[in-house]
Amino acid sequence: MNTTAPQQDSTQAFDLLIVGAGMVGAALACAMADSRLRIGLLDSQPLQPIPRATTPSGFDPRVSALSAASEQILKNLGAWQHLGPESVSPYRSMCVWDAEGTGEVRFAAQDLGELRLGHIVENYQIQNALLAQLVTSGVTLLPGLTVQGLVREDTGWRVDCTDGQRMRAPLVVAADGARSRLRELAGFAMREWDYLHHAVVTTVTLSEPHQHTAWQRFLPSGPLAFLPLPSRGGQHYCSIVWSLLPERAQAVMALDDAAFCAAVTEALEGRLGPVLAADQRVSIPLRQRHAKHYAMPGLVLVGDAAHSIHPLAGQGVNLGFLDAAVLRDVLCAALARGESPAGLDVLQRYERARMGNNLAVMAAMEGFERLFHAQALPLRWLRNAGMKMFDQAPMIKSEVMRRAMGLSGELPTLARP
Ligand SMILES: Cc1cc2nc3c(=O)[nH]c(=O)nc-3n(C[C@H](O)[C@H](O)[C@H](O)COP(=O)(O)OP(=O)(O)OC[C@H]3O[C@@H](n4cnc5c(N)ncnc54)[C@H](O)[C@@H]3O)c2cc1C
């Protein structure tokens, strides 16, 4: 690793500049670290290990449900090995049910011949694990720099930062998240719409074990998810994501702790007993965004910069890791053939490989969200009948689960064992 100290008006040149060292940008930097490219990874954050949360539970509210494909990618990048057993929570089953009826679907890893469906991991732990890998790589870390300008030059792009520093690279990757500044500066056209939902996120202490199950109840006001966290000191914890209309989210945020615990217990129908305690709550407005293209000459979008979707299915970062893994395959193949990795035709191979998959997942989430929001009686009947039929169709259920786990379809090299 090389770390540069901020200097006034200096210009640094790279072959590949990745803007954004969130989970996706950091994974891409790890994935490209052994190429012969000079790589810079820039972020406005300090890029130092993030300390453990100081919340009462000790868990950070931002967690991800990682698919088997993401686990494999992180293993192949050498990052998974930095995550101790106390920081990953495998879940073996999933239970999804409708608050307005009797429809219920259960997924079990053993039905697929697997040990688990996935893992719940705090985002900062994933980020720290990737950073630990980058520290021993040849990637130049560029911490504490915020991009504010982008200029097209003959040989590529010039990226201007708020403190006057400039970077030049023929190939720039925008991994700077859902509100990507680079995407905006480059002028990528977007489709975006409001879900009219806010996600209330926190960690709760349970009175009963979570049974290593991810629980999701669809309420008329929106879905509520309980994601199992590692048990600590004999206590059982879940990370919760409760999607609500903004005014309802505001009301839930305003409840005192006891009233919030009672409300969330009732919303989950008390399936895990009374909720005993909750950390501070965070409310996040949900918006779906999708770029109409991911590539232009010398510039490409990955992760949430390309697409951000409803957290309902827990797929956002899983799609982002697949973006990074596919882009790595495309760039390495181009380098092996002697092509310029910054060429539009090369970058469009990545766009073609990922856009269909990302759109399909986004459309499925959109359909789910609308179906469970519907209050009309025929739709409610259809929803409940459909869930029961689906639950009793093992072949279809297993295919859906395999897809969600990233175990089917054509996989990039890093997602293969
Ligand atoms: C409530 C909730 C629950 C979720 N649950 C799941 C889940 O269970 N499973 C799942 O797969 N996904 C989940 N997601 C989605 C997941 O969190 C995102 O897909 C993921 O964090 C995106 O990662 P990223 O690296 O693309 O972007 P980010 O994490 O947003 O990282 C972007 C980085 O770019 C940097 N940056 C931004 N602008 C600039 C700039 N101008 N200059 C320099 N640096 C900049 C930022 O500092 C940051 O480090 C959830 C999302 C939400 C909101």
Side-chain angles (χ1 to χ4, degrees):
M1 175 201 65
N2 311 308
T3 306
T4 57
Q7 289 170 344
Q8 283 295 314
D9 289 315
S10 63
T11 302
Q12 293 189 65
F14 297 97
D15 301 315
L16 166 63
L17 179 68
I18 302 169
V19 175
M23 293 184 279
V24 176
L28 178 66
C30 280
M32 294 302 296
D34 59 3
S35 69
R36 54 182 163 78
L37 302 179
R38 288 171 302 159
I39 302 169
L41 177 64
L42 182 155
D43 202 291
S44 41
Q45 298 299 314
L47 301 184
Q48 296 286 342
I50 303 163
R52 187 179 156 162
T54 53
T55 54
S57 70
F59 289 102
D60 193 273
R62 283 153 306 172
V63 306
S64 294
L66 295 182
S67 67
S70 293
E71 176 186 349
Q72 194 58 57
I73 290 171
L74 292 171
K75 276 185 178 156
N76 283 332
L77 294 178
W80 190 265
Q81 294 76 334
H82 295 286
L83 296 167
E86 68 294 343
S87 45
V88 299
S89 173
Y91 60 101
R92 296 194 273 270
S93 51
M94 199 174 194
C95 180
V96 179
W97 74 106
D98 189 355
E100 302 227 309
T102 52
E104 179 164 315
V105 182
R106 275 183 180 265
F107 300 97
Q110 65 182 27
D111 295 346
L112 301 173
E114 299 288 336
L115 290 173
R116 56 195 170 255
L117 294 176
H119 290 88
I120 311 295
V121 190
E122 290 158 281
N123 290 0
Y124 86 89
Q125 302 255 25
I126 303 170
Q127 206 136 355
N128 283 352
L130 288 162
L131 200 61
Q133 273 308 94
L134 287 168
V135 161
T136 52
S137 76
V139 172
T140 301
L141 298 186
L142 304 158
L145 294 174
T146 300
V147 169
Q148 67 163 7
L150 180 72
V151 179
R152 180 83 202 155
E153 296 181 330
D154 289 346
T155 53
W157 294 94
R158 194 188 80 211
V159 172
D160 297 344
C161 299
T162 43
D163 70 345
Q165 284 203 66
R166 291 171 164 183
M167 315 290 151
R168 286 196 165 88
L171 176 57
V172 175
V173 178
D176 51 347
R179 286 184 290 174
S180 168
R181 180 90 176 107
L182 266 191
R183 182 185 70 209
E184 184 193 326
L185 290 166
F188 280 93
M190 300 292 293
R191 283 192 196 94
E192 60 182 289
W193 57 97
D194 225 314
Y195 276 122
L196 297 176
H197 265 171
H198 286 208
V200 175
V201 180
T202 189
T203 308
V204 295
T205 311
L206 306 168
S207 50
E208 292 175 21
H210 48 52
Q211 303 156 38
H212 299 281
T213 299
W215 306 84
Q216 191 153 42
R217 185 179 185 220
F218 283 90
L219 294 132
S221 51
L224 167 66
F226 270 56
L227 306 173
L229 292 169
S231 296
R232 285 179 182 166
Q235 299 269 34
H236 311 294
Y237 300 98
C238 271
S239 177
I240 69 160
V241 182
W242 195 357
S243 304
L244 294 158
L245 292 170
E247 54 283 11
R248 181 87 180 95
Q250 218 178 352
V252 163
M253 289 296 289
L255 294 174
D256 64 33
D257 283 354
F260 176 76
C261 291
V264 84
T265 300
E266 191 194 328
L268 199 76
E269 289 183 315
R271 285 215 185 184
L272 297 174
V275 167
L276 302 176
D279 287 349
Q280 199 179 355
R281 287 149 251 161
V282 186
S283 175
I284 305 166
L286 300 178
R287 242 179 126 64
Q288 172 146 298
R289 296 182 180 86
H290 192 246
K292 291 184 182 169
H293 294 283
Y294 297 170
M296 61 173 62
L299 211 152
V300 71
L301 310 177
V302 293
D304 272 24
H307 44 74
S308 49
I309 70 172
H310 200 292
L312 162 66
Q315 283 298 325
V317 81
N318 292 310
L319 297 181
F321 283 146
L322 285 170
D323 290 350
V326 169
L327 184 57
R328 176 212 170 263
D329 280 355
V330 167
L331 296 180
C332 290
L335 286 168
R337 279 196 293 265
E339 290 175 282
S340 160
L344 182 61
D345 49 343
V346 170
L347 300 179
Q348 280 175 336
R349 283 174 214 152
Y350 153 76
E351 178 180 301
R352 278 195 296 277
R354 289 304 299 147
M355 191 174 267
N357 180 258
N358 289 337
L359 272 173
V361 174
M362 293 179 89
M365 287 314 103
E366 181 67 10
F368 250 111
E369 215 266 329
R370 283 183 192 201
L371 184 63
F372 279 96
H373 224 72
Q375 288 304 300
L377 202 58
L379 273 179
R380 276 166 45 194
W381 179 85
L382 195 67
R383 186 167 78 200
N384 276 281
M387 280 180 101
K388 279 186 205 154
M389 276 163 57
F390 180 74
D391 197 44
Q392 285 152 25
M395 302 274 278
I396 304 175
K397 226 165 87 171
S398 128
E399 181 51 28
V400 167
M401 273 327 285
R402 287 200 162 275
R403 279 196 175 268
M405 291 166 76
L407 293 174
S408 66
E410 201 182 323
L411 292 175
T413 317
L414 283 174
R416 293 183 217 142

